[in-house]
Amino acid sequence: MRMPRGGRLLLATCLGSLFVLVIYFQTIIKPEPGVNTDSRPGKSRRSPLQTLYNGDQQLELLAAQRSLQGRRELLEQACLSHTRKRQVLSPEDLKHLIVDDKHSLIYCYVPKVACTNWKRVLMVLTSDGRYTDPLSIPANEAHVAGNLRTLSEFSVPEINRRLRSYLKFIFVRDPFERLVSAYRNKFTRSYNTAFHRRYGTKIIRRHRPEPDPEEIEKGNNVLFHEFVQYLVDPRTQREEPFNEHWERVHSLCHPCLIHYDVVGKYETLEPDAQAVLSLAGVEGTLQFPTSGKSTRTDGNMAARYFKHISPFYQKKLFNLYRMDFLLFNYSTPEYLRT
């Protein structure tokens, strides 16, 4: 497949360690007509990438694609406007990109953006019949390392081949709603003792005046304003990377270095997920699971949490997540007092 003018993939090696440099380009990679990008021997089906860019989809899918195309274009423009430095990606940076060789898909999972259900769907798609119903797969099993392959597991030539020819998709969410969702799930649920011990004890010790010894030991009652202080504290990222549940999307998925063909949103999860399944050719056999949660974190709930955060910390937190707001076209929340 020929690379488009203005776009290229470069490889670099340094001291025996492989590094991948993916230069973001404005021109979309379009597979040549008739080229089979399916990795399965003897198959000649049209790949999801070809289906997306050849423009012969059904009317319903075409309507959905117009919205998705607008998001791709906004992301491209935001990357050009707000990023300057070229970054070198190592295979380790690709560990969030899940690969489905059977359907020529690459999905970058973002915690707290329906990633459990997307992993369930991909387990069905890649299981050769072992799984048929996504909701029959326990949530903890969907997150077991090794159940799904990531792009980081492949050689550099194999990484680049898949990046060129597979449909790459990502689902994003309002950054502060995602952050509140992560806080609620990891710090207000009694069963998340691992997070309480791993992060809660440190947060309470560092950001609570005169904490009780028992509070430090258990770490199970972190307040939201303490969590915010922990995030914006310069010492936090100097000591270790953010946990993936509150790491910025642009740091997890590198959207200005890797060209995502579909940018889905949590706010329009069902139609966007249906569009991806249609492109993969499985819409008739597989349904994306719908959420049964009655207390989903939305803008109103986020506003209640941010009500007690001072303007000083609101501004520092917004600056920390500013690139996610810009890249994915999310407006500054009205409830902020910055």
Side-chain angles (χ1 to χ4, degrees), residues 13 49 52 61 82 91 112 117 157 164-165 173 177 180 224 229-230 233 241 245 253 267 273 275 282 287 302 330:
T13 59
L49 198 63
L52 176 65
L61 185 56
H82 301 291
K112 310 312 300 176
N117 281 338
R164 285 195 303 269
S165 60
R173 182 179 188 178
E177 291 177 25
V180 171
F224 184 65
Q229 290 173 345
Y230 162 78
D233 188 335
H245 290 84
C253 296
E267 294 80 5
V282 298
Q287 188 77 24
Y330 284 103

Side-chain angles (χ1 to χ4, degrees), residues 6-45:
R8 57 199 177 114
L9 297 174
L10 300 180
L11 303 179
T13 59
C14 178
L15 300 178
S17 298
L18 289 172
F19 293 87
V20 184
L21 178 59
V22 185
I23 304 301
Y24 194 87
F25 44 86
Q26 287 182 276
T27 308
I28 296 171
I29 297 177
K30 295 185 180 181
E32 295 177 9
V35 173
N36 172 33
T37 59
D38 194 330
S39 60
R40 294 174 292 172
K43 296 291 183 179
S44 59
R45 71 173 180 84

Side-chain angles (χ1 to χ4, degrees), residues 11 19-20 74 90 94 107 140 156 195 216 223 232-233 241-242 244 253 283 317 335:
L11 303 179
F19 293 87
V20 184
L74 286 170
S90 73
L94 306 177
Y107 161 60
N140 61 331
V156 168
F195 269 81
I216 295 177
L223 301 176
V232 302
D233 188 335
F242 274 170
E244 64 178 12
C253 296
E283 72 279 8
L317 192 68
Y335 52 78

Side-chain angles (χ1 to χ4, degrees), residues 45-48 51 61 103 105 125 167 274-286:
R45 71 173 180 84
R46 174 162 289 178
S47 75
T51 302
L61 185 56
H103 299 88
L105 300 172
L125 291 177
L167 181 86
Q274 181 63 30
V276 172
L277 295 179
S278 296
L279 288 168
V282 298
E283 72 279 8
T285 59
L286 184 60

Side-chain angles (χ1 to χ4, degrees), residues 42 47 83 86 93 104 123 134 174 178 187 207 215 237 261 293:
S47 75
T83 60
R86 292 180 176 182
D93 293 317
S104 302
M123 286 176 70
D174 176 278
R178 174 175 172 249
F187 295 109
H207 299 289
E215 293 175 334
Q237 289 192 81
D261 307 290
K293 294 180 181 179

